[in-house]
Amino acid sequence: MTHAVPPPRLPVRDRAAVPDRAGGGGVSPMLTRLAAERATGVLEREHGALHLADGQVVHAESPFAPGLADLLLAHGTLAADAWRQAVERADEEHGAGRLLVEAGLVARGALEICHLGALYDAGYFALAPSSTPGRFHYGTGQLLGAVRPVTVAELERETLRRRALLHRLWPQPLADTAPLLRTTPRRAPVPATAPDARQRAVLALVDGERTAPDIARALGRRAFPTLADVRRLAAAGLVAAKPPPSAPDPPPGITLPPVTDPDITLLKRLRDALEAL
């Protein structure tokens, strides 16, 4: 009589223990470990990248969030030529931000406010749940310079706070990244609150093609307040996320082989194990 041998258990991150190690929300075990190591380099994830120096986050970027340049160049705060020249002259010792401040082109306080806004916006997307493990490249610098570093714990706490707030406004995260459509709200016994000026500006750019980050860039605004406006408009029935395109039908005469659904739980455990290495 034979007995089936159970497969070995995969290492899985202890989510309950992560907040104690990180001092924050434990969003990324790899990021927690890098902070403890005081590592310097760039952590690349599916939806963005985080630049670290001595274990602190000094810069973040994501295709879904307006960057520092977008915020500084909006509304005439800084000329495009001045930003380009600062980037060209920057090195690891004299970052572009420091050069702009020393030249008197941007006030230190204004630079820090825009930098933190861009960092937290990009960090929100970079730390979003992903289907692939992150990769860290040691010693990779960036030319902006350390304007206002934040700890990993601070970034994770802010990311979790934003997730919770946006979920309360409208629990459909697809509205953050999908093209947006204008919709007609249903009649309600009690009229909904009319959109304010900021929301009307967002609504005016909803055309079925632009996403919330596209609208933020067009308006010269930060990503997170725009996401909040979009979710409020969605809750009011004024906008909706455009559904993703459906898979095309196979050509006539071609029969596709049957597909067995993979063990999603096992795949997630494999991903978590790889990220925890």
Side-chain angles (χ1 to χ4, degrees), residues 115-148:
H115 170 255
L116 287 175
L119 188 155
Y120 283 124
D121 280 350
Y124 168 80
F125 288 106
L127 292 177
S130 65
S131 58
T132 59
R135 293 185 177 183
F136 188 72
H137 304 277
Y138 285 92
T140 304
Q142 50 88 28
L143 299 181
L144 175 63
V147 176
R148 173 67 169 80

Side-chain angles (χ1 to χ4, degrees), residues 69-85:
D70 297 311
L71 299 180
L72 288 176
L73 298 180
H75 316 300
T77 303
L78 181 69
D81 286 343
W83 172 260
R84 177 181 52 80
Q85 292 173 13

